[in-house]
Amino acid sequence: MFRKRVCQFGLAAGVLIISQVACSVFGFTVSQDQSGPPAAAVTAEGPGADAAAQPTVSANAEGPAEQEAAPPSVPGAAPTPTPFIYQGKEPASGTGGVYGRLLWNGEPVEGVQVKLCDEIKFIGGCKGAEYPTVTDAYGVYTILNVPPGSYGLTYRALDADTWYFVTSGILNAKDFEITAGQMVNVGDHHTVRLDVVILSPTKDERLSIARPTISWQPYPSAAYYELTLHSDRGGSLIHRMELTATSFTLDRDLQTCDYSFNLEVFNAQGIMIAENDGWHRFKVAGLPQSCKMVALTPADGASVPANKITLTWQPHDWAAVYKIHMVDASDSNKKILDFVETNTTSYTVTQNVPAGQYEWVVYAYDEFGDGLGFTDRFTLYVTNP
């Protein structure tokens, strides 16, 4: 499957349910070093039938995508900047192709699936024609006979049915331009393993302490780790915190809420080599504060005259400000309140609101601007005065 990765900016989780979530974006490097021959032994010569499910975010290719690679040498040898000319099989007339190399922890990896896709969606994976191949003993691959156009590049993790795709920045897939009669060097990319072992909290564990300890087994070749933690409603708490130890005790109180975290492993060159398989979830219960705020009035589904709309909610003890979002239920682009701020626990709508069905949510933020939680989405029927 493709694995989702969302970055730390406000991401809509529905018409109104907007939560700040953390992202782990993978560092890809397009460089000149090649420690294998210029052409892979296995090629793809037409659209493939590789099934792809839901995507993951993979990351940014750094450097010119069509830069010539270094000449072949023994696997693991130091890279040389001297470029070589592609001498493998040429694409059919009117078509082009790509070649590149896939590494893990600085070493070429064999037998890993790679493919070009007409289009890559953050949610949905490859769309349209697919051109698959696998890496050879030197980690090198070629894909031939591709019609000219723009394509995305995706490849599998080691020992897992999870796909990563090269992006142009945060979420969108990078376009690799294929031209007739040309073999494009897409450079080196680094795949990962998904075998990091989390020790605590255990998966879906229910805790009742405000500052739990997250721990994991030491990973071979690890120079450091990066930890990301977010709550389902409260937003990002930790974003890519760099650690050299194999445990971390939270330095701020949690709330009654559902949480998830991801741990990435980096080698001495700063290249990610592993992570845990999927977001690791746990629950915290019984604490005084909750990330699920409570809306009070008007009750869900209530009818209110247009000139008497006052929204109220229960206070959050840590909140410095609240933000209210209210939209037309049939068209979320029609905003009545677009994250309007208030320091109180009520808000009276003063503008004219046409009769109709609306939805509203209240969000709480602390003094640092970090999200604390939000209410359920309430439906409101507005009538003429």
Side-chain angles (χ1 to χ4, degrees), residues 21-106:
V21 290
C23 148
S24 155
V25 178
F26 304 96
F28 287 82
T29 303
V30 172
S31 60
Q32 298 183 44
D33 57 313
Q34 296 277 347
S35 54
V42 182
T43 64
E45 301 188 356
D50 257 6
Q54 314 291 329
T56 300
V57 171
S58 164
N60 218 349
E62 300 171 359
E66 297 184 17
Q67 193 172 16
E68 292 291 353
S73 60
V74 295
T80 169
T82 307
F84 69 81
I85 304 301
Y86 176 77
Q87 296 177 342
K89 185 177 179 181
E90 293 300 319
S93 177
T95 69
V98 301
Y99 64 103
R101 189 173 66 153
L102 200 61
L103 308 173
W104 180 79
N105 198 20

Side-chain angles (χ1 to χ4, degrees), residues 169-191:
I170 299 177
L171 298 179
N172 296 328
K174 178 179 175 64
D175 289 331
F176 293 93
E177 296 293 333
I178 307 299
T179 57
Q182 300 269 335
M183 289 297 293
V184 177
N185 178 14
V186 297
D188 286 349
H189 292 93
H190 303 270
T191 190

Side-chain angles (χ1 to χ4, degrees), residues 2 77 93 112 160 166 185 206 220-221 225 282 340 364:
F2 277 87
S93 177
V112 178
V166 182
N185 178 14
R206 185 182 177 93
S221 302
Y225 308 90
F282 65 96
V340 173

Side-chain angles (χ1 to χ4, degrees), residues 67-310:
Q67 193 172 16
E68 292 291 353
S73 60
V74 295
T80 169
T82 307
F84 69 81
I85 304 301
Y86 176 77
Q87 296 177 342
K89 185 177 179 181
E90 293 300 319
S93 177
T95 69
V98 301
Y99 64 103
R101 189 173 66 153
L102 200 61
L103 308 173
W104 180 79
N105 198 20
E107 296 294 331
V109 287
E110 181 179 7
V112 178
Q113 293 175 279
V114 181
K115 60 186 173 184
L116 288 178
C117 305
D118 271 346
E119 186 179 11
I120 298 177
K121 295 287 190 181
F122 178 64
I123 298 177
C126 283
K127 302 294 182 182
E130 301 176 7
Y131 299 85
T133 188
V134 296
T135 58
D136 68 9
Y138 299 94
V140 178
Y141 58 90
T142 62
I143 302 176
L144 292 173
N145 303 343
V146 180
S150 297
Y151 296 87
L153 181 68
T154 181
Y155 48 88
R156 284 185 61 170
L158 292 181
D159 306 322
D161 189 19
T162 296
W163 290 78
Y164 296 88
F165 64 84
V166 182
T167 75
S168 58
I170 299 177
L171 298 179
N172 296 328
K174 178 179 175 64
D175 289 331
F176 293 93
E177 296 293 333
I178 307 299
T179 57
Q182 300 269 335
M183 289 297 293
V184 177
N185 178 14
V186 297
D188 286 349
H189 292 93
H190 303 270
T191 190
V192 303
R193 294 188 182 276
L194 303 179
D195 56 355
V196 173
V197 178
I198 302 298
L199 299 178
S200 67
T202 59
K203 193 171 184 179
D204 297 322
E205 184 175 0
R206 185 182 177 93
L207 304 175
S208 58
I209 55 175
R211 299 191 179 191
T213 296
I214 297 172
S215 64
W216 54 94
Q217 286 185 0
Y219 198 89
S221 302
Y224 63 93
Y225 308 90
E226 287 189 354
L227 175 67
T228 296
L229 168 72
H230 68 79
S231 72
D232 281 7
R233 287 180 178 244
S236 179
L237 302 177
I238 298 172
H239 181 62
R240 302 183 70 91
M241 175 183 285
E242 186 173 316
L243 302 163
T244 55
T246 56
S247 67
F248 176 74
T249 299
L250 272 293
D251 55 1
R252 60 184 292 183
D253 287 353
L254 299 184
Q255 306 179 76
T256 294
C257 199
D258 290 351
Y259 294 89
S260 57
F261 65 89
N262 183 65
L263 187 77
E264 299 173 347
V265 183
F266 292 81
N267 64 15
Q269 289 71 46
I271 296 170
M272 192 178 80
I273 58 176
E275 63 176 329
N276 56 291
D277 189 4
W279 284 92
H280 193 92
R281 300 182 63 84
F282 65 96
K283 300 176 182 293
V284 175
L287 299 184
Q289 299 300 322
S290 174
C291 66
K292 185 176 181 179
M293 295 175 57
V294 178
L296 297 176
T297 61
D300 190 21
S303 295
V304 178
N307 60 355
K308 294 183 179 180
I309 304 174
T310 298

